[in-house]
Amino acid sequence: MVYRHVTPLVVACALATACGDDLNSTDTATGTETSTGTTTGDTPTTTDATPTTTEGATESTTTGDTSSGTTGDEFPVGGCGAPPFEWLPSDGMGEVIDFQQVIELDAPTITDLLEQNGFTALGPADFGARVYKIRYVTQDRGEKHETTGFVSFPLLPEQEERPVVVWAHGTSGFTDACAPTKDPMGFQVPLILAAKGFVSVAPDYIGMNGWGPPSNRLHPYIVPEPTAIATLDSIRALYELAAANMDMPSLPGDDVVLFGASEGGFATLWTDRYAPHYAPELNIVANVAAVPPTDAIGLTEHGATVFGPTTGALAAAVVGGWDWTGRQGDLSEVFSAGPPIDVASVLPMMMESGCNLDLPDEVTSTDQVYAQSFIDAVVDRDWETLGDWGCFLRQATLGESEIPLLKITPTLIQQGEVDDLVYTPVVRADL
């Protein structure tokens, strides 16, 4: 199963019809100028609510309850066995700690690169582009965290405001080593977005610090809250960077478009859901989500009963939820003890040590990955038996979410056959 750059063709089509995506080029003759440390339908409703903090949070049960840890307006945070916490105030969130220029290319050079790599459907570059990498402040489970990403700006004849596009990348791994800002070619999507006239920000996500101090943690894979919050704070970081550096070639406008593929589609859908609660000052006007895993329950049912790429991907999501909520419970309740391998022991180590999570060749069936009791409970949607494990899945399923929907954003969801991690019939049935 291929994780890194898993959907370049899907998102290239999305860029042609919407607003931006991945080249997946391996051409090294790009003029890269990296700085030290770089290796890589209803009427919408709105809310005036301000960011909330948790008050009176209580411990959750182990019966799949997603409501533990609530704010004064009954907004659920945490849950699924996680210790209670409060969101930090919004002041300081998105603070830019450091930034460095990665590359600047003129429009003809970008056009040539698009043509050389077979992306003529995107058309010629409208502008040159400048890309930076940033480190910024976000929060997770009530604590400050530092994370990383890219920002990019079109090179305009005269400085003016341009619409903002957030690029949320697909699955690339689970540690710092797998971050787009760690990849020498990871700047490509932000570069293209700027070349098409958008100011963009592309977060690496929590647990994926591509440069600067290490995150020292596992990326909370397919966990909505930390993914959404880090993405929202990356938008704040973009605005702060531009405000503090008025020599930028262009400026971010008020309108924000979310755009992501695969895990990135998951990220944008949940970013949109969390935005009115966490960052109501942001004006999100549209969302483009290519092959997003909207239904974690349905995808897990598929992956636990039909052996294929989804089998390992959703197993990684279970580990992500387990890790984020404090490693409560024993993974042996979910995963097969073997033969051929003890998945509960091996899978977390695989996620912590590499960016390409291919199950070993000797694993050939779902019951060699998942415990049969877990498979049966997932198929039956037996929440009492699933306990916190089912809670993770419900929290990552849009249709089951307890996060109040306060704004209906125009959203385009695209399906495609290139991404083999997200089984599209499940997503189609969920829409």
Side-chain angles (χ1 to χ4, degrees), residues 12 32 67 70 76 102 159 243 265 272 374 402 412 419:
T32 305
S67 63
T70 57
V102 175
Q159 188 185 70
D272 184 52
F374 178 77
E402 294 186 1
L412 171 65
D419 190 326

Side-chain angles (χ1 to χ4, degrees), residues 380-402:
D380 294 339
R381 304 203 174 190
D382 182 349
W383 304 118
E384 182 174 357
T385 297
L386 287 168
D388 286 341
W389 311 110
C391 181
F392 304 154
L393 301 177
R394 294 179 73 185
Q395 281 197 335
T397 297
L398 283 165
E400 296 278 346
S401 175
E402 294 186 1

Side-chain angles (χ1 to χ4, degrees), residues 142-155:
E143 297 181 356
K144 281 188 176 182
H145 280 272
E146 180 180 316
T147 192
T148 56
F150 289 113
V151 294
S152 65
F153 300 86
L155 303 180

Side-chain angles (χ1 to χ4, degrees), residues 12-48:
C13 293
L15 176 57
T17 59
C19 56
D21 198 10
D22 201 348
L23 274 176
N24 194 29
S25 164
T26 56
D27 188 345
T28 58
T30 60
T32 305
E33 299 175 0
T34 57
S35 52
T36 303
T38 300
T39 57
T40 334
D42 294 327
T43 302
T45 58
T46 59
T47 178
D48 293 325

